Amino acid sequence: FGGFMKFVTLLFASMMSFVAVAQELPSDTSPRLAMFIPQQVLQSTTRGKKLLSEFQVVEKNWSDKIEAKQKEGQDLQKQLTSASIDDAAKEKINRQLRDLEFDFKKMQEDAQAEVGKAQQKIQVQFNNEITPIVEAVAKERKLQMILNYQQGLYTIFEPTWGLDFTNEVAKRYDAGSAEKPAATKAPASSAVTPKKK
């Protein structure tokens, strides 16, 4: 299927871009931007890793089935090269190979469909879970725009600034409390309330 990391890349490429609603700021104030890295959230948080593991299970299941089918074909091909095989046996094996080829193509189609469905499920679930958090943090920080990070898109990327917004979103995503930060009880409020700048 092109591998798990290829899936992760495609997943992030197809995810929605997050753009905060513009805040009313004084005309002399510089634009307030932040960088969001979905890949960082998925791969560094417990909740994100759980989502990715669901896809890995589906991919591994189909990968094992396809590998077993390929080995079956290789074993039949070896039998054809045997010096002791007669014509009747060759014909039987050739029929088996033709049937195997049909089954293999069908299996690839089924695998592609199911893996694609698993990818879409993760995509939708992650977006539904992460969007309210991204929007909440953006509102608190009075951000005008959030840029989705894509490798190779930026000539200069300052890690401290670039990871600040994502790390805050990741922390809240794992805590599962950022969707309603205002409703948090006082003792836990420090975990979800950003420092004033």
Side-chain angles (χ1 to χ4, degrees):
F1 308 107
F4 175 66
M5 289 313 298
K6 181 179 178 182
F7 155 72
V8 172
T9 301
L10 291 173
L11 175 61
F12 300 132
S14 60
M15 281 181 176
M16 65 177 288
S17 295
F18 294 101
V19 181
V21 176
Q23 307 292 319
E24 291 186 5
L25 298 174
S27 58
D28 59 344
T29 303
S30 299
R32 295 181 61 84
L33 310 176
M35 186 75 69
F36 181 55
I37 311 174
Q39 181 175 0
Q40 179 77 10
V41 177
L42 273 171
Q43 295 184 329
S44 68
T45 62
T46 300
R47 293 176 72 184
K49 289 175 182 177
K50 184 175 182 298
L51 277 180
L52 292 180
S53 70
E54 292 175 10
F55 171 81
Q56 287 176 302
V57 168
V58 174
E59 185 189 48
K60 179 70 164 56
N61 181 45
W62 280 108
S63 179
D64 289 347
K65 287 181 180 179
I66 287 176
E67 186 177 335
K69 189 67 71 174
Q70 287 174 325
K71 187 177 185 306
E72 186 180 343
Q74 291 169 357
D75 291 342
L76 287 173
Q77 289 287 357
K78 286 181 182 179
Q79 293 178 37
L80 279 178
T81 61
S82 173
S84 61
I85 192 171
D86 57 27
D87 290 341
K90 281 185 179 181
E91 179 58 30
K92 180 180 178 181
I93 292 175
N94 280 323
R95 285 197 303 270
Q96 289 177 312
L97 283 171
R98 287 193 294 271
D99 292 340
L100 189 66
E101 182 180 4
F102 177 83
D103 292 342
F104 186 74
K105 288 181 179 178
K106 180 67 169 57
M107 181 178 289
Q108 284 183 312
E109 292 172 358
D110 292 343
Q112 187 175 4
E114 190 167 329
V115 170
K117 189 180 296 183
Q119 176 179 337
Q120 185 178 21
K121 177 185 175 183
I122 291 173
Q123 224 174 277
V124 171
Q125 184 175 344
F126 181 72
N127 275 334
N128 288 342
E129 293 174 351
I130 209 70
T131 299
I133 302 174
V134 170
E135 291 176 348
V137 178
K139 185 176 181 180
E140 291 168 12
R141 297 188 177 190
K142 293 181 168 56
L143 299 177
Q144 293 174 291
M145 181 175 290
I146 303 169
L147 306 174
N148 260 14
Y149 176 80
Q150 293 181 37
Q151 189 171 2
L153 183 61
Y154 305 99
T155 303
I156 298 175
F157 181 81
E158 204 287 309
T160 302
W161 175 84
L163 291 171
D164 179 60
F165 182 86
T166 298
N167 287 341
E168 178 64 21
V169 171
K171 181 178 71 175
R172 297 188 185 195
Y173 181 56
D174 249 351
S177 59
E179 291 82 354
K180 298 179 181 178
T184 317
K185 294 181 180 179
S189 61
S190 59
V192 296
T193 304
K195 297 179 180 178
K196 294 183 179 179
K197 295 186 178 180

